[in-house]
Amino acid sequence: KNMGFAGYFLITADFVKYAKTSSIPVGPGRGSAAGSLVSYALGITNIDPLKHDLLFERFLNPDRISMPDIDIDFCIERRGEVIDYIKKQYGEESVTQIITFGKMKAKQVVRDVGRVMGYSFSEVDKIAKAIPNELNITLDKALEKSPDLRKMSEGDFKELIDHSKVLEGMHRHASTHAAGVVIAPSELTDYIPLYKSSTNDITSQYDMKGLEELGLLKMDFLGLRNLTVIDKAVALVNANGGNVDLEQLSFEDEKVYDLFAKGNTIGIFQFESSGMREFLKKLKPTVLEDLIAMNALYRPGPMENIDSFISRKQGNKDIKYLHKLLEPILKETYGIIVYQEQVMQIAHEVAGFTLAEADIMRRAMGKKIQSLMEELSLKFVVGAEKNGIKKKKAEEIFSLIEKFAQYGFNKSHSTAYAYVAYQTAWLKVHYPAEFMSANLTSEMRNIDRVVVLINECKKMGIEVKAPDLNVSFEDFRPIDKQSISYGLNAIKNVGSKALETIIEERKKGGTYKTIFDLCSRVDLQKVNKRVLESLIMSGSLDSIEGKRSEQFLSVDDAIKYGQQIQNQKNLSQVDLFGSSNAQSDLIKTPVLQP
């Protein structure tokens, strides 16, 4: 309240409540907001910060006033509904999405400059490919690392690369930020200019940082695919007579931890990579805290501590503490500093820092602000001495936390995401067919992922049956505990509108007997030649009359027949499998007969 943020919390609680009452899946929390008891009490997060030793000062520090940041994860398919609600609740003129600027990065700037200077595509492509594929690489760094690029920059392409260096880092184009939304107290135009894109989307003309500096309220509405998977899986379970409520899980299910211990985590949020699976097999997690720690450790930097963490967990390595005050803080991570919150707690307990001061120290260490660290080091040692700790020991403890603070991860975020991981693993253990169906549906546009997930189904003893027009639906669905029907929408060139008419008619009139039967009953403007050919080639019509080759050659005839049947009045009683006057002059030498 003193910092003027009460309204921010209430607005956030309002749209989260709307999402939950509208059955739009919302994440249990994200980032440092999970450390706020107010967020938990208002229903913004589902993580009890007292239970997990999460610190409010990691989220909002009264000694370092800056805008709070409550990022919320929503179901990726329904995130837009929440944004629409906010526009309706606070006024269209007061809410808009935020602009973001694409910059001319190393490869892009070379391609753009090369095109303008009249170089051929192959020449420019050769230069761009000589730039190493590293995140945030600059042309100067690329010239140091790539002998090929350096050679080109000294020869015929010197001018191109010189011009590219001048333009590198400049804004190239504007687009809409994937998650950001800004809310103003009155009309936005009282505070900021707006931007209209070529597709008529309205966004702010200032980016995130500019809006923050103005003190405007910005929210992040993030789409998380795994929430969609969980929602679909639970819906499939409950549709078959189940009664699953993931909010009531105990987090003590041995079967779930056994799944993690065996590394069977394909489809499990945050635990899918091959490296992570190998570490899980060694670790053999038994409690949620192990998952929280692995989530935090499996990142560049902290990764080097994983083997030591595992050895201590297994009892193969002694757990030692520099001082007895560190034991209650580091016990859950076997004496290793894993979290930023632990760094803050040590400063608080050992040196008597307030948690707000401890947060400032953590930030200084993480950002390597040398002048501030020297000042804090002195303060830390003096504070520790007041607690009866000798100067040398205090300096050792400060050096230890200084080393780990650079790598430490936000425990609040790790805890929230471990909750989601546990929920997905629980579903995989207890409702495997429903869980894998939901996963396959969410990835159906990504053929590579579909292959990975189908292979995982095989390992689990679940058969993903071939697509069948008379059995399958748009999405993947469990037939029973051991089998899943293939989602027809995963077939290329077969859209949702075509499938709607096919499945709706199947429900009304029963299964399809022939391709002619199919074409006489569905909307042929939606189920066109391309759709039919794709269904045939995918094997979706294997359950009806004729070989695929025969069906393929009959497509044109079947469409003509279907149009003729649908255009004639009072032909509902026509015998589709016998003869009729309507079909006598339809085709001369049909491959399959109507």
Side-chain angles (χ1 to χ4, degrees):
K1 189 179 173 186
N2 292 341
M3 294 167 80
F5 295 145
Y8 179 81
F9 280 86
L10 293 170
I11 288 170
T12 306
D14 174 48
F15 66 71
V16 170
K17 182 182 176 185
Y18 165 77
K20 288 178 177 178
T21 54
S22 305
S23 300
I24 298 169
V26 184
R30 180 191 175 95
S32 56
S36 159
L37 190 61
V38 172
S39 295
Y40 180 57
L42 288 172
I44 295 168
T45 63
N46 291 356
I47 309 293
D48 180 350
L50 301 180
K51 182 179 175 183
H52 296 286
D53 289 325
L54 309 179
L55 303 182
F56 177 77
E57 285 78 2
R58 174 63 187 84
F59 165 60
L60 201 59
N61 187 339
D63 289 358
R64 180 181 55 81
I65 295 179
S66 63
M67 283 294 283
D69 199 8
I70 305 179
D71 296 340
I72 311 283
D73 289 318
F74 294 100
C75 160
I76 202 162
E77 291 177 0
R78 300 187 64 191
R79 167 184 161 271
E81 292 177 45
V82 187
I83 295 173
D84 290 342
Y85 167 76
I86 284 187
K87 287 180 179 176
K88 186 179 171 186
Q89 181 80 332
Y90 301 103
E92 290 269 356
E93 293 77 21
S94 300
V95 181
T96 192
Q97 288 186 264
I98 297 170
I99 203 166
T100 184
F101 297 103
K103 291 189 176 180
M104 288 204 258
K105 294 186 178 176
K107 285 180 185 263
Q108 186 66 59
V109 74
V110 163
R111 291 184 188 280
D112 284 349
V113 171
R115 188 180 67 249
V116 172
M117 290 180 71
Y119 286 92
S120 70
F121 175 81
S122 59
E123 287 175 314
V124 175
D125 193 51
K126 188 180 174 185
I127 301 168
K129 283 180 176 172
I131 298 168
N133 289 318
E134 288 179 24
L135 195 66
N136 299 324
I137 193 158
T138 62
L139 284 172
D140 284 331
K141 282 184 187 172
L143 285 163
E144 285 173 24
K145 293 187 173 187
S146 171
D148 289 344
L149 186 67
R150 201 160 51 246
K151 191 177 173 184
M152 285 186 265
S153 73
E154 291 162 0
D156 297 340
F157 302 107
K158 183 180 187 305
E159 192 183 8
L160 188 157
I161 289 170
D162 286 346
H163 285 323
S164 298
K165 280 186 187 178
V166 175
L167 293 169
E168 186 180 19
M170 293 182 76
H171 290 331
R172 183 177 187 273
H173 60 268
S175 58
T176 304
H177 191 279
V181 173
V182 62
I183 305 173
S186 58
E187 289 189 15
L188 283 159
T189 46
D190 293 343
Y191 303 90
I192 55 168
L194 299 177
Y195 169 77
K196 190 174 188 178
S197 73
S198 56
T199 54
N200 291 331
D201 292 323
I202 306 291
T203 67
S204 64
Q205 210 173 109
Y206 297 157
D207 65 6
M208 284 270 195
K209 287 182 181 174
L211 294 168
E212 261 185 31
E213 284 170 21
L214 285 172
L216 282 170
L217 184 64
K218 70 169 185 64
M219 305 279 188
D220 273 346
F221 294 78
L222 299 142
L224 188 62
R225 187 188 62 80
N226 301 82
L227 294 179
T228 310
V229 170
I230 290 169
D231 186 53
K232 286 182 186 296
V234 169
L236 287 169
V237 172
N238 293 347
N240 289 329
N243 185 22
V244 170
D245 182 1
L246 294 180
E247 299 303 317
Q248 303 303 318
L249 293 185
S250 69
F251 296 97
E252 291 168 6
D253 192 322
E254 286 181 19
K255 289 180 182 175
V256 174
Y257 292 112
D258 188 48
L259 175 116
F260 282 105
K262 288 176 178 171
N264 295 334
T265 50
I266 295 291
I268 304 303
F269 181 54
Q270 299 272 296
F271 287 87
E272 276 199 270
S273 72
S274 56
M276 175 65 98
R277 296 205 307 273
E278 287 308 309
F279 281 128
L280 286 171
K281 287 177 195 173
K282 292 179 190 172
L283 175 67
K284 304 201 181 310
T286 51
V287 288
L288 186 69
E289 283 70 25
D290 290 342
L291 303 182
I292 297 169
M294 280 305 294
N295 214 350
L297 285 166
Y298 193 73
R299 297 164 198 282
M303 228 181 225
E304 63 188 52
N305 299 314
I306 294 180
D307 285 326
S308 180
F309 181 89
I310 291 169
S311 296
R312 293 180 186 203
K313 154 91 176 170
Q314 305 297 357
N316 300 326
K317 197 173 182 180
D318 292 339
I319 301 169
K320 293 176 182 175
Y321 303 96
L322 276 177
H323 193 275
K324 63 182 180 182
L325 284 174
L326 301 186
E327 185 170 349
I329 299 167
L330 301 180
K331 192 174 182 182
E332 70 168 296
T333 52
Y334 312 107
I336 296 169
I337 299 173
V338 174
Y339 310 117
Q340 293 165 353
E341 286 86 342
Q342 288 173 320
V343 171
M344 291 166 67
Q345 284 172 309
I346 291 168
H348 178 60
E349 294 294 332
V350 173
F353 280 32
T354 66
L355 286 170
E357 288 171 329
D359 180 56
I360 290 167
M361 187 194 79
R362 172 197 67 77
R363 283 175 63 82
M365 286 175 166
K367 295 190 173 182
K368 299 181 183 175
I369 305 169
Q370 201 59 43
S371 58
L372 188 52
M373 272 161 57
E374 285 168 12
E375 184 189 318
L376 290 164
S377 171
L378 291 170
K379 190 176 178 181
F380 185 92
V381 172
V382 169
E385 284 181 309
K386 283 180 185 173
N387 269 348
I389 298 167
K390 289 179 181 175
K391 185 178 178 181
K392 191 180 176 187
K393 182 63 74 178
E395 286 171 348
E396 275 184 62
I397 295 170
F398 187 83
S399 296
L400 179 75
I401 61 175
E402 188 179 0
K403 177 190 169 188
F404 282 95
Q406 293 169 28
Y407 295 148
F409 192 70
N410 180 339
K411 188 184 180 187
S412 298
H413 183 71
S414 200
T415 302
Y417 272 20
Y419 267 58
V420 179
Y422 185 93
Q423 289 173 338
T424 53
W426 187 89
L427 285 166
K428 188 174 182 180
V429 166
H430 295 285
Y431 297 97
E434 288 84 353
F435 175 72
M436 294 307 291
S437 295
N439 244 310
L440 282 158
T441 296
S442 78
E443 298 275 23
M444 61 166 53
R445 292 284 167 231
N446 183 342
I447 296 300
D448 291 340
R449 277 293 290 162
V450 168
V451 171
V452 168
L453 292 168
I454 287 175
N455 286 336
E456 181 66 7
C457 286
K458 282 179 188 171
K459 288 178 193 170
M460 295 165 68
I462 296 170
E463 182 189 0
V464 179
K465 293 187 177 289
D468 183 344
L469 195 75
N470 281 326
V471 176
S472 303
F473 291 86
E474 276 189 64
D475 52 0
F476 289 80
R477 293 194 189 181
I479 299 168
D480 50 44
K481 288 182 180 179
Q482 267 75 47
S483 60
I484 292 171
S485 70
Y486 199 94
L488 296 173
N489 212 358
I491 300 166
K492 272 190 177 181
N493 305 322
V494 180
S496 297
K497 289 183 178 176
L499 292 173
E500 274 173 30
T501 180
I502 289 169
I503 293 164
E504 198 55 42
E505 175 53 35
R506 187 181 77 199
K507 285 177 187 171
K508 282 190 220 163
T511 57
Y512 300 104
K513 305 296 188 296
T514 67
I515 190 169
F516 292 89
D517 179 26
L518 172 65
C519 289
S520 69
R521 291 164 58 186
V522 297
D523 183 342
L524 292 170
Q525 286 187 319
K526 294 172 184 173
V527 184
N528 55 33
K529 183 177 180 180
R530 194 180 185 194
V531 170
L532 289 166
E533 287 178 346
S534 296
L535 287 169
I536 292 165
M537 287 190 286
S538 67
S540 301
L541 304 192
D542 285 3
S543 63
I544 67 176
E545 185 186 310
K547 296 175 185 174
R548 288 186 199 178
S549 56
E550 294 172 325
Q551 291 170 351
F552 199 86
L553 291 168
S554 300
V555 168
D556 287 334
D557 296 335
I559 289 171
K560 284 180 196 170
Y561 175 72
Q563 286 168 338
Q564 200 165 352
I565 291 290
Q566 290 179 28
N567 287 340
Q568 289 182 34
K569 292 177 184 177
N570 306 318
L571 284 181
S572 57
Q573 301 304 313
V574 169
D575 176 9
L576 296 176
F577 308 107
S579 58
S580 80
N581 294 331
Q583 67 193 49
S584 58
D585 59 349
L586 186 66
I587 41 177
K588 292 174 183 173
T589 52
V591 180
L592 291 174
Q593 290 291 338

